[in-house]
Amino acid sequence: MRKEILGLIQNNSKLAVADLALMLGSNEADIANEISAMEKEKIISGYHTLINWDKASTERVTALIELKVTPQRGEGFDKTAERIYRFKQVTAVYLMSGGFDLTVIIEGATMKEVALFVGQKLAPLESVLSTATHFVLKKYKDYGIILDEDKKDERMVVSP
Amino acid sequence: MMKDKLAKIPSSLPPSGIRKLFDIVTEMEDVISLGVGEPDFDTPWNIREEAIYSLEKGKTFYTSNAGLVELREAVCQYYKRRFDLDYAFMKESLITVGGSEGLDLALRALVNPGDEVLIAEPCFVSYQPCAKLAGGVPVAIPLKAENEFRITPQEIEDKITAKSKVLMISFPTNPTGAVMRKEHLEAIAEVVIKHDLIVISDEIYAELTYGEKHISIASLPGMRERTIIINGFSKAYAMTGWRMGYVLGPVEVIELMTKIHQFAIMCAPTASQYAALEAAKNCDKDVDMMVRAYNQRRRLMVDGFRKMGLECFEPEGAFYVFPSIKKTGLTSNEFATELLLDQQVAVVPGDAFGECGEGFIRCCYAYSVVELKEALTRIEKFVAKKLK
C-alpha cells in the first residue's frame, strides 16, 4: 500500500486523499493514516513544487561542485558534509564514488555570488582538498519531468 | 459511372457507428474525448529507440513473409512466459499488420461462402464486416449485463445451426471490459468441442486485466487444435500506430493465413518488427506500470458513474467502462450527441459495437486523472439534468 501511495504522490502531491483512496481501492481513513505515518517516519520528507525558474524570468544560477575531501578519523566524510549542507545556498550534497568525494549543488542569484561562496566558504574548509565548479547552462529534465515540453494529445478524438 | 461498378458485399456494409460522432467532434473546441480506443502512454523510449537504430543500420528491406524469425521466437517465448502456452515459432506463428489483419486473415482462411460466424457482441467494430467480406454470415450472440457480459454455453447453443463454423470471442472485451475466468471458458469449451467449432480468440487486451491474470481458451484441454489466437502490441505496449500484430495457431491454418498474407501484404513493416522485438523481450515492467495506472483510473471511473446514479458493471479488463444510460430515457446515440453538444465530452454510443450495446456508452479511461475527473464532473452535470 505504501509503495502504491508513494508512486502516485511522487508525481502529483496535490492528489486528494479521497482520490487516492478510490484509485487504490482503499478508504480515506487508512490512506490518511499511512501518509501521516510516513511523514512522521520521514519516508515522506517534504512536499515541493517543481519550478522552471527560467520561465519565471527570475535570475538564478545552479552550480554543481566537485569536492575532494580528506576523510576524518571516526567521522569519515559526514562531518565535512554537515559543515557544508547547513549553508542555505546549498540545495543538495551527495557522497560519491569515483574521482571525487562530495557533490555539492548550489543555487544563487548570480554566477559571481556562487563563485564567491565557493571561494570563501567551501575551499577554505580544512578538510577540503580541491573544488571544481560547473555551472548549469540549461536544464532539460529535472526530477523525471521534461521541462518546457509542449505535450499535446495526438490521438484521434474517436477511434474504435 | 463508377458507382455501378462497385462490388456488392463491401458496398452493403453499414458505415462505422462512430463516424458521425467523429465528424461533430472534430468541429468543436475544448472537447474532452473519452472516445479513443488506444493508450495515452507514449511507446516506451527503448522500443522507439530500437526502431530508430534499425533504420540507422539500414534494416529497410522486406523480412520473410511470416515476419522476422527472432520476433516470432520472442512472441512465442512471451506467450509461454505470460500465459503458459507453447507454440512452435517456425510453424505456428505469423506476424501481421496489427491485430486487425490477423482477424481478417483468420476469417478468410476459415470461411466458405454461407458459413456462419458466431460473434459475441458487443465487440470490436470490425468482426461483422470482416466476416461478411470473407463470404460468411455473421450471427450475433448478444451478451448481457446481468451476466457481466460473459458468454454462456446456452447462448452459443441457441444460435448453433448446421452451418455454424467459427466462434469469435474477445476477452477482455472492447467495449465492455468483461473477462472470462477459467470456469467460464471451460463451460463454453465443452459446447465448442461438441459442435466442432473453431474459435478465433482476439486477445489484444490480454495484458490489461485487473483481477486474475488472463487465461487463453487455447490452454484448455482439446482447445489448442481448434483455436486461433489473435494478439498484437498495440494495447499492452502503447504501440497502436506501429501496426504490429501476430497470430498463433495450429500449423495448417497458420500456413494458409501466411499464404494470404504473402499475396495481400508481403510482410509487416520491418522497422516496426524490430521495435516489437524489443517490446516482447524487454518490456514486461513497462506493461506492469501501465496496468497499475489503468487500474487506478478504472476505479475512479466506475465510482464516478455509480455516484451519478448510473448502473456501471465493474470491468476487469481493457481500458473501458460501459455504463448503462437507460435510466436517462435516451438512446445511446442521443446520449452521446447531446452530451457532446451540452458538455463537450465525447463518448462512444454502445450500439456502435453491436445492437445489444444499445442503452450503454463506452468511455475510455486512458487519460490523465485530471482529465478524467473533469470529464466525470461534466457528465454528472448532464446526467443530473436528465434524471430530474
Side-chain angles (χ1 to χ4, degrees), chain A residues 4 8 19 22-25 151 153 155-160, chain B residues 25 33 35-38 42 174 296 299 303 362 366-367 373:
Chain A
E4 290 195 297
L8 279 169
D19 290 337
L22 255 178
M23 291 166 74
L24 299 176
K151 195 124 176 52
D153 194 338
R155 293 177 291 176
M156 295 203 304
V157 283
V158 181
S159 58
Chain B
V25 179
S33 174
V36 307
E38 58 183 326
D42 291 328
N174 171 10
Q296 293 159 355
R299 293 186 179 124
D303 179 80
R362 187 194 76 174
Y367 294 90
K373 291 195 68 172

Side-chain angles (χ1 to χ4, degrees), chain B residues 75 139 145 220 222 239 246 289 321 387:
Chain B
V75 160
V139 177
L220 302 184
M239 290 180 70
Y246 55 89
M289 182 280 290
V321 288
L387 291 183

Side-chain angles (χ1 to χ4, degrees), chain A residues 5 25 32 39 45 49 82 87 96-97 99 101 108 121 129 135 149 158:
Chain A
I5 296 174
E39 285 169 351
S45 311
T49 306
E82 188 183 347
F87 286 108
M96 310 298 291
S97 65
D101 304 306
K121 305 292 182 190
L129 298 172
F135 285 100
E149 190 184 41
V158 181

Side-chain angles (χ1 to χ4, degrees), chain B residues 64 170 202 256 259 269 299 337:
Chain B
S64 70
S170 176
D202 179 352
L256 187 54
K259 191 198 268 181
R299 293 186 179 124
T337 313

Side-chain angles (χ1 to χ4, degrees), chain B residues 353-385:
Chain B
F353 308 96
E355 271 171 37
C356 64
E358 177 52 50
F360 299 86
I361 53 168
R362 187 194 76 174
C363 303
C364 177
Y365 51 82
Y367 294 90
S368 73
V369 171
V370 177
E371 288 167 305
L372 292 176
K373 291 195 68 172
E374 171 64 20
L376 283 171
T377 309
R378 292 189 191 184
I379 298 172
E380 189 173 8
K381 275 188 212 160
F382 175 76
V383 170
K385 276 192 243 174

Side-chain angles (χ1 to χ4, degrees), chain B residues 121-189:
Chain B
E121 290 188 350
C123 66
F124 184 57
V125 295
S126 79
Y127 294 179
Q128 284 238 14
C130 283
K132 283 184 191 161
L133 288 169
V137 179
V139 177
I141 300 179
L143 307 187
K144 299 187 187 77
E146 60 260 36
N147 294 336
E148 300 186 300
F149 293 107
R150 294 183 171 118
I151 186 168
T152 65
Q154 192 55 48
E155 287 168 336
I156 302 175
E157 286 280 9
D158 290 346
K159 300 287 180 178
I160 291 279
T161 72
K163 290 182 175 168
S164 307
K165 186 172 205 179
V166 176
L167 171 67
M168 293 183 80
I169 55 170
S170 176
F171 294 97
T173 309
N174 171 10
T176 62
V179 301
M180 294 274 278
R181 296 195 205 296
K182 194 163 184 215
E183 64 264 30
H184 307 120
L185 290 171
E186 280 167 350
I188 67 162

Side-chain angles (χ1 to χ4, degrees), chain B residues 82 282-290 292:
Chain B
R82 299 290 263 202
N282 295 323
C283 292
D284 289 3
K285 273 198 180 142
D286 297 86
V287 174
D288 293 342
M289 182 280 290
M290 290 189 258
R292 253 198 315 279

